[in-house]
Amino acid sequence: MRSGQDAFTEYVSARRPALVRMAYLLCGDEHLAEDLVQSALIKAVGHWRRIGDNPEPWLRRVMVNEHISRWRKHRGRERLTADVPDRAAPVVADHGLEGALAALAPRQRAVIVLRYYEDLTEVETARVLGISVGTVKSQHRDAIARLRASGLDELVTSVGGR
Amino acid sequence: MDELGGALRELARQAHAPTPVDPAALWARGRTRVRRRRMAVAATAVVLAVLGSLAVIRPEPRAVMPAGAPHAPAIPKNIYEPNRFLAGVSKAGPPGRLAVIAAHGWREGGGPWFGISATTGRYSELDLPDLASGGPMRLSPDGLRIAYWITGPTRKKDFGPRTRSSAGGPLPDKPLAGVAVYDTRNGSVVRHRILSDYGLDSDAQVSWLDDDTIAFSYSVATGTNSGRSAGAYRWTPGSSAPVTIPGQPFDGARYVPAFPPIRLVHNNDDATPYVVTDTRARPTGMKVVTPGTDTVPNAVTFSRRWVVELGTMSSPAIDRVFAGPRGRDNRAAALAPIGTIVLPRFLGWQSDARIVVFANPGRLIGGRVEMAQSQDPPRYLYEVDLDARKVRRLGTIDADLPDVSIQVARTLLAHPMVLGRRPPSLLEVFRVPLTVGGITLLAGAAWIVVRRRRRA
């Protein structure tokens, strides 16, 4: 029988890259994304006996809440960086999506990521965010409106009524 | 796959490959975090428990009731029962001149006593030095002193042989061993210790003869259920040793208040009241018995001009106020009822033709007694004018206070009464610790909620 640590090790090895990608969509920063995931995984150790069978929903919830909590804590503050990004800003591939996502409030961004990247239903999204389905709907509506205003009409046309 | 989902996946793929981490190191950090959180939870729980215990469970602190604006010495029209957590005079200091003293009603057989200041309306617990629990207290007519029975050493250490007092009353926690007088102005106590084998019987009596002198009588506990009478004494604390009062049958006597300056001791056995003079107890020559019988009424009070009885003398058979002028032979002429109040208790003389009583809120209506229907209705304070034969309501007395314990500074009855302050409620006494406890509990609850949300 696998011990908790063995299962944890196996899970981290297999799923951490995917978790980091989702975290990147949530926060738009690769380092922050790694930090979010690492923080969530460390927290998961204490609950592993309970969530070990299917840790993904729990980790998603912790990552989203942690990100919103950090955003609240640091909003309004400028962040200093020692290095200029060495990667050219994507021009075509992201359809201006990265900038448009950055303009969303963190909860709206989380709704978009959970609904369209993780393919969660409204109910599942509400459960992850700890808010009502009605709030999910209103956040979704506002987020889509903002994406449209950012010139992403083509991307969101097909999801308007979703 | 819709276009937005595809675009998001494409954007996610653009992120650099994550820096490799050692899952074992993550697991170790997670375990360390768990241990630290458990220690923090345990420490917080201990702190919350300690704070909660201190704030809620601990009966202290006892609050000192704030004094009201000083006024001329007066008796309050409304007398309330304070809660049991008021500070005692041992902590708050001497209460000053008192208008009222009474025992709490929450303990069977006589609870702790409290007093009400005559000048500020402040309530104080009377936890007097060496006080015999359950013993009586007597307030001097001017409200400046309190006479009470004290506990102390006995010749034989074992207090066990006596299982109850000769009167069948409750035993004090420790043996009675003397009488004392407490000065309400400076807190000084003058004690007269009485050394005996097992202490004194708990039915020992004490009463004020005037502002400076008390009379007391007691029986010595013998180790059986019947005590041995040791007689009666008069004593002016601080100026002389107690003096035996000769020539009187004092066993079971009751001291009866009279309009000054007559000092009366009423004897149960022969229904003859005695005047206590400086040298002896002299029969007054007055005699009051319930008509048609040779028994003594429940209470009897004499003035120079009036005989007043609070008892049952006519139909319906319930205690009322009866009064009649004194006859030439010093005997009472026919006593006639005054007013419709029932079950009165005597408080004192306001003048030589006016008394103050308190009574249950029942009334005589059409020859029938109508008692109050509500639960624990307050008792009313009445002024009874013997000349005009009229009754006037003055105020209220809390229904829970034991009748026999309520005493006023009788001298002050002649002065105008004041409204009376309400003692602080239990919530007011415990406002600070309850607030601290409440905030602590709320903080604990909030902390638990936040912790759960974070876990989720």
Side-chain angles (χ1 to χ4, degrees):
Chain A
M1 188 178 176
R2 286 189 315 166
S3 71
Q5 185 174 357
D6 291 342
F8 179 80
T9 301
E10 191 177 312
Y11 176 81
V12 171
S13 303
R15 292 294 301 162
R16 181 167 168 269
L19 291 172
V20 171
R21 281 196 294 274
M22 182 206 154
Y24 173 70
L25 289 179
L26 282 176
C27 66
D29 184 291
E30 292 165 354
H31 298 293
L32 279 181
E34 285 198 32
D35 195 40
L36 266 184
V37 172
Q38 179 165 309
S39 174
L41 287 171
I42 289 172
K43 284 181 181 173
V45 171
H47 305 272
W48 196 255
R49 190 178 297 172
R50 181 163 56 87
I51 64 172
D53 289 343
N54 181 21
E56 204 98 349
W58 190 92
L59 284 166
R60 272 195 214 116
R61 197 179 315 152
V62 169
M63 283 161 53
V64 169
N65 289 335
E66 178 77 12
H67 170 58
I68 292 173
S69 165
R70 287 184 186 186
W71 178 83
R72 281 180 181 149
K73 203 171 171 184
H74 296 293
R75 69 177 154 186
R77 294 186 200 170
E78 290 182 1
R79 279 192 299 174
L80 296 177
T81 177
D83 305 311
V84 178
D86 58 359
R87 182 164 59 90
V91 178
V92 180
D94 70 351
H95 308 278
L97 183 57
E98 190 170 15
L101 284 176
L104 296 180
R107 186 164 281 166
Q108 291 173 345
R109 186 169 178 155
V111 168
I112 293 298
V113 171
L114 294 172
R115 294 281 281 114
Y116 299 103
Y117 179 74
E118 293 288 339
D119 278 331
L120 299 187
T121 65
E122 286 177 336
V123 173
E124 288 167 336
T125 303
R127 201 172 295 146
V128 168
L129 293 174
I131 57 179
S132 68
V133 175
T135 307
V136 168
K137 286 179 179 174
S138 65
Q139 295 276 335
H140 176 260
R141 189 179 56 241
D142 294 346
I144 293 297
R146 281 199 179 195
L147 292 177
R148 279 206 176 97
S150 302
L152 299 180
D153 268 343
E154 287 183 12
L155 275 184
V156 298
T157 300
S158 60
V159 300
R162 183 168 169 171
Chain B
M1 181 195 295
D2 55 59
E3 292 184 28
L4 181 53
L8 285 170
R9 286 179 183 81
E10 193 175 336
L11 180 60
R13 272 196 297 273
Q14 289 173 9
H16 284 179
T19 315
V21 296
D22 179 10
L26 282 182
W27 180 266
R29 287 179 65 184
R31 295 308 305 169
T32 303
R33 180 176 178 275
V34 167
R35 279 193 294 274
R36 283 184 182 158
R37 285 178 67 87
R38 279 181 185 160
M39 286 174 65
V41 167
T44 307
V46 168
V47 170
L48 283 176
V50 169
L51 284 178
S53 303
L54 287 177
V56 179
I57 300 169
R58 192 173 169 225
E60 298 287 350
R62 292 175 177 266
V64 178
M65 179 184 172
H71 51 71
I75 291 173
K77 287 181 180 176
N78 298 297
I79 299 171
Y80 308 97
E81 180 175 16
N83 66 67
R84 66 189 73 178
F85 296 109
L86 271 186
V89 296
S90 62
K91 177 185 174 187
R97 189 173 189 177
L98 293 176
V100 178
I101 67 169
H104 282 278
W106 50 265
R107 198 166 83 177
E108 282 296 317
W113 290 67
F114 66 90
I116 306 173
S117 165
T119 54
T120 65
R122 192 176 84 176
Y123 284 66
S124 303
E125 291 293 308
L126 299 174
D127 53 343
L128 306 184
D130 300 332
L131 172 69
S133 64
M137 282 188 189
R138 294 290 178 261
L139 183 63
S140 65
D142 56 12
L144 296 175
R145 295 187 184 88
I146 298 170
Y148 64 102
W149 291 96
I150 56 175
T151 59
T154 53
R155 285 196 198 94
K156 297 182 180 177
K157 296 295 180 190
D158 182 12
F159 191 50
R162 193 162 57 96
T163 55
R164 66 179 181 82
S165 73
S166 57
L171 280 175
D173 298 336
K174 296 176 183 173
L176 295 185
V179 66
V181 172
Y182 173 85
D183 192 316
T184 60
R185 291 163 296 186
N186 54 29
S188 65
V189 177
V190 183
R191 296 172 175 83
H192 170 64
R193 295 201 180 277
I194 302 167
L195 193 59
S196 62
D197 285 350
Y198 299 112
L200 316 179
D201 265 343
S202 60
D203 51 351
Q205 295 200 41
V206 61
S207 181
W208 287 93
L209 296 175
D210 58 29
D211 288 340
D212 301 313
T213 306
I214 62 171
F216 62 91
S217 60
Y218 60 92
S219 299
V220 176
T222 58
T224 66
N225 281 340
S226 58
R228 174 172 46 80
S229 173
Y233 301 84
R234 61 183 298 280
W235 181 40
T236 303
S239 62
S240 66
V243 177
T244 302
I245 302 174
Q248 44 70 43
F250 271 100
D251 276 354
R254 288 180 299 168
Y255 296 93
V256 178
F259 186 70
I262 300 176
R263 304 164 178 172
L264 288 168
V265 177
H266 174 240
N267 184 271
N268 270 340
D269 295 336
D270 63 2
T272 301
Y274 289 77
V275 178
V276 178
T277 68
D278 288 346
T279 54
R280 62 192 295 268
R282 179 170 53 80
T284 61
M286 295 186 285
K287 188 167 184 173
V288 175
V289 295
T290 303
T293 74
D294 199 28
T295 59
V296 186
N298 289 334
V300 57
T301 318
F302 298 82
S303 76
R304 288 170 178 166
R305 293 195 294 125
W306 293 95
V307 174
V308 175
E309 190 234 338
L310 310 180
T312 304
M313 298 184 72
S314 62
S315 178
I318 191 164
D319 287 1
R320 300 172 62 187
V321 176
F322 294 87
R326 281 170 59 176
R328 276 180 234 156
D329 58 354
N330 263 342
R331 285 174 174 263
L335 300 183
I338 298 178
T340 57
I341 57 178
V342 294
L343 300 175
R345 284 275 185 178
F346 185 80
L347 261 188
W349 290 91
Q350 216 171 36
S351 69
D352 70 344
R354 196 171 287 174
I355 62 169
V356 177
V357 301
F358 63 94
N360 284 340
R363 312 277 291 186
L364 268 178
I365 299 175
R368 288 190 312 113
V369 179
E370 296 279 346
M371 300 305 290
Q373 295 299 313
S374 63
Q375 201 169 11
D376 285 341
R379 284 164 297 185
Y380 293 120
L381 202 59
Y382 296 100
E383 173 193 274
V384 181
D385 188 324
L386 305 178
D387 280 327
R389 307 191 72 79
K390 284 187 176 170
V391 175
R392 185 167 70 97
R393 189 190 294 177
L394 299 175
T396 59
I397 295 182
D398 191 293
D400 290 334
L401 298 178
D403 282 358
V404 292
S405 75
I406 302 168
Q407 299 158 54
V408 296
R410 295 170 192 272
T411 306
L412 298 180
L413 279 173
H415 300 187
M417 288 184 167
V418 292
L419 193 59
R421 300 182 69 214
R422 191 179 282 276
S425 68
L426 205 59
L427 276 179
E428 288 167 323
V429 170
F430 282 97
R431 187 176 51 214
V432 172
L434 279 177
T435 305
V436 172
I439 290 173
T440 306
L441 291 175
L442 279 177
W447 179 76
I448 290 169
V449 169
V450 168
R451 192 164 159 263
R452 282 186 178 169
R453 283 181 67 92
R454 282 189 176 170
R455 271 187 179 173

